[in-house]
Amino acid sequence: MGSMGAFENRTMIEQILDSENMQRAWQRVRSNAGAPGIDRMTVDAFPAFCRSHWPRIRSMLIEGTYRPAPVRRVFIPKPDGSQRPLGVPTVLDRVIQQATAQVLTPLFESGFSEHSYGFREGRNAHQAVQSVEAGWKEGRRHAVDCDLKAFFDTVDHQRLMGQLREKIRDRKVLKLIHRYLVAGVVLPDGTREATPQGVPQGGPLSPLLANIVLDPLDKELERRGHHFARYADDFLVLVKSPKAAERVMSSLTRFVEGRLKLTVNRAKSKAAPLKQCAFLGFQIGRGGKVVWSTKALARFKSRVKEITRRNRGHRVQDVIDELRRYVTGWINYFHISHTYTAVEELAEWIRRRVRLYFWKQWKQPRTRRRHLLALGIPPGEVHMATRSRKGYWRMSSNSILQRALTNQRLHEQGVPDLRTLWIKLHYGPNARV
């Protein structure tokens, strides 16, 4: 592989194509799995393809003649009912992009703002939210909540390439990045569209390019002495008065649209009290504490209802397994919320949804009778429960069903206990629950 010095003396395209760097890129792409691109090649099929074709592709990259494939456009539903467009590159292009990002990141990383938290090693959304909480404690009770309209689709290529030229001297690398930007997309119906602007969301290089595009915004906010937090294209600027918020909103809009050639979504942007602003699924609640946002909670309950919908007809254990995966992932992200009482209420609500599903699955009175007797309910009470005309939701809180499907029994079946998960994430795995 050669020494680090030898690595640094190579051209940038040679550093990108260094076998060790490419191997790391492949490991990263493989661990992320992901769907095939327009060539339909899977991650599992890639190694065999690579053994046959990599020398030729490498030569093309060295010579500057390689042309990336267009990305495959997929649409992901957003909570507001709209759809987020994502671009799925081929596995080959994901590996090349990842290898490129690994070489470029150290060049740009040291110059990025401490207020930028998205897609950076050692930084995360929780730190961004905690920065907002710290701003509240400093008396910054008003905010500019600025939404960039279709940010990833509207990045100005000329501006971005100009920023890249400031640090990248290798023309072949610049040409390769530009070709990724203009590779185009193939829509679900098979038609191809050009991409004269924008950075396709979904490629390994896109997060770094997004941070490069928005770095001048960070620098401008720092120059003005503002307290702010940015995660990708989502950011809040904290100020001390309503008048300051209005003033910053106006000047920020001028800067974003004039200097960065991006568009501020006026319908979604606002200068408002900080408590009225949601950021990365959180907001500031009573006493200046971070809590999950009203929308985040509504999305959670909607998804749990969907998983435990009465008429799904899935095996109870399959439903519980899916519920456990979703709830565990959700609380891993939202556990920084200071909402213990709400967690207790949600934990009981989840168990009630599961009891509802059991009751629905048992369906016939004789089946319900058999299960309730097996779970230790006396025959007289079993008769009362199986003949009840109460609806499913009311029955889910019935004392007979609760004694049959106790919290402990549900726990043994694998039903997640949100309260226990929250306590262990807040206070450590050995905390008493």
Side-chain angles (χ1 to χ4, degrees):
M1 293 302 164
S3 67
M4 181 55 73
F7 179 83
E8 288 172 350
N9 289 333
R10 297 185 221 173
T11 63
M12 185 176 282
I13 194 68
E14 289 172 337
Q15 291 178 29
I16 289 168
L17 297 172
D18 173 82
S19 58
E20 197 172 314
N21 187 55
M22 292 302 301
Q23 188 61 32
R24 275 200 303 130
W26 161 238
Q27 299 291 355
R28 183 73 176 268
V29 169
R30 185 172 63 177
S31 67
N32 289 339
I38 61 164
D39 61 357
R40 298 292 166 186
M41 184 185 297
T42 63
V43 169
D44 289 339
F46 181 72
F49 166 84
C50 203
R51 280 192 291 274
S52 300
H53 299 281
W54 179 244
R56 176 179 58 83
I57 294 164
R58 189 182 189 282
S59 295
M60 291 165 70
L61 286 159
I62 287 283
E63 291 160 12
T65 59
Y66 176 78
R67 291 194 175 272
V71 298
R72 183 168 65 86
R73 172 71 80 227
V74 294
F75 293 96
I76 308 297
K78 290 170 72 173
D80 62 6
S82 63
Q83 293 187 312
R84 182 192 304 280
L86 288 183
V88 182
T90 62
V91 179
L92 172 62
D93 282 325
R94 293 210 289 276
V95 173
I96 296 169
Q97 282 194 37
Q98 179 62 39
T100 305
Q102 287 167 186
V103 170
L104 294 191
T105 296
L107 266 187
F108 290 92
E109 175 62 32
S110 59
F112 284 154
S113 167
E114 63 179 282
H115 304 282
S116 162
Y117 296 92
F119 311 117
R120 296 177 64 193
E121 194 72 37
R123 290 173 165 263
N124 57 47
H126 288 171
Q127 294 168 339
V129 172
Q130 285 156 350
S131 167
V132 171
E133 187 178 28
W136 171 275
K137 288 173 182 169
E138 292 170 4
R140 301 174 195 278
R141 306 291 165 85
H142 295 267
V144 174
D145 184 353
C146 192
D147 183 89
L148 300 179
K149 190 172 185 177
F151 166 71
F152 281 90
D153 294 330
T154 56
V155 168
D156 183 277
H157 288 174
Q158 202 173 344
R159 271 206 74 258
L160 171 56
M161 293 309 299
Q163 287 178 270
L164 294 173
R165 280 187 208 98
E166 290 173 15
K167 299 212 172 182
I168 300 172
R169 297 286 175 257
D170 191 324
R171 292 175 65 182
K172 287 175 183 174
V173 174
L174 290 166
K175 185 190 284 187
L176 178 64
I177 294 171
H178 186 257
R179 282 179 175 168
Y180 273 116
L181 294 175
V182 298
V185 298
V186 174
L187 301 178
D189 66 3
T191 56
R192 182 169 171 169
E193 272 188 5
T195 47
Q197 59 179 16
V199 174
Q201 254 181 299
L205 195 52
S206 300
L208 173 62
L209 297 180
N211 276 332
I212 291 169
V213 168
L214 291 172
D215 186 58
L217 170 65
D218 298 339
K219 297 296 192 288
E220 180 65 14
L221 290 170
E222 285 176 346
R223 189 183 67 76
R224 298 181 189 184
H226 288 309
H227 183 115
F228 70 98
R230 181 176 70 76
Y231 190 96
D233 59 330
D234 203 347
F235 63 99
L236 273 184
V237 184
L238 278 56
V239 294
K240 293 190 173 181
S241 72
K243 191 174 281 187
E246 293 288 353
R247 188 179 67 247
V248 172
M249 182 86 235
S250 298
S251 62
L252 198 54
T253 301
R254 283 195 302 273
F255 181 84
V256 167
E257 296 189 339
R259 172 84 185 277
L260 302 186
K261 294 184 167 59
L262 297 167
T263 305
V264 172
N265 187 334
R266 285 161 174 75
K268 291 186 177 179
S269 300
K270 60 187 177 185
L274 182 53
K275 281 190 173 184
Q276 294 176 16
C277 299
F279 182 57
L280 302 176
F282 295 91
Q283 59 195 84
I284 298 295
R286 190 177 298 168
K289 298 285 189 182
V290 164
V291 297
W292 52 60
S293 72
T294 309
K295 276 187 179 177
L297 179 58
R299 287 198 293 269
F300 173 77
K301 295 187 89 167
S302 174
R303 181 72 184 115
V304 171
K305 283 179 182 177
E306 192 181 317
I307 293 169
T308 58
R309 203 171 61 241
R310 295 193 301 268
N311 59 355
R312 287 187 84 196
H314 292 211
R315 284 193 322 124
V316 171
Q317 198 54 54
D318 292 341
V319 169
I320 289 172
D321 290 345
E322 185 179 353
L323 182 67
R324 185 175 63 251
R325 286 192 298 272
Y326 175 69
V327 169
T328 304
W330 191 85
I331 200 63
N332 277 340
Y333 180 75
F334 282 102
H335 75 272
I336 65 167
S337 178
H338 299 279
T339 44
Y340 179 71
T341 306
V343 167
E344 281 191 307
E345 291 169 0
L346 268 184
E348 186 48 52
W349 177 79
I350 289 167
R351 286 190 287 269
R352 189 174 171 186
R353 291 291 313 179
V354 174
R355 290 188 184 106
L356 175 151
Y357 197 84
F358 270 103
W359 193 246
K360 171 69 175 177
Q361 290 296 97
W362 293 346
K363 213 162 193 175
Q364 301 299 328
R366 65 177 178 275
T367 311
R368 289 171 175 169
R369 177 180 173 78
R370 187 176 76 247
H371 280 294
L372 290 173
L373 287 170
L375 290 165
I377 303 300
E381 291 186 68
V382 168
H383 183 77
M384 283 171 55
T386 56
R387 297 298 168 189
S388 173
R389 292 185 176 278
K390 290 179 181 175
Y392 293 115
W393 183 240
R394 285 187 67 191
M395 275 304 295
S396 66
S397 63
N398 181 280
S399 62
I400 297 170
L401 194 56
Q402 285 186 327
R403 278 185 287 124
L405 297 170
T406 62
N407 292 0
Q408 182 58 33
R409 278 204 177 104
L410 293 180
H411 175 70
E412 287 164 5
Q413 292 274 330
V415 175
D417 179 5
L418 203 66
R419 173 184 168 275
T420 299
L421 292 169
W422 187 89
I423 289 171
K424 288 184 179 297
L425 286 164
H426 253 258
Y427 301 109
N430 300 318
R432 294 179 62 188
V433 295

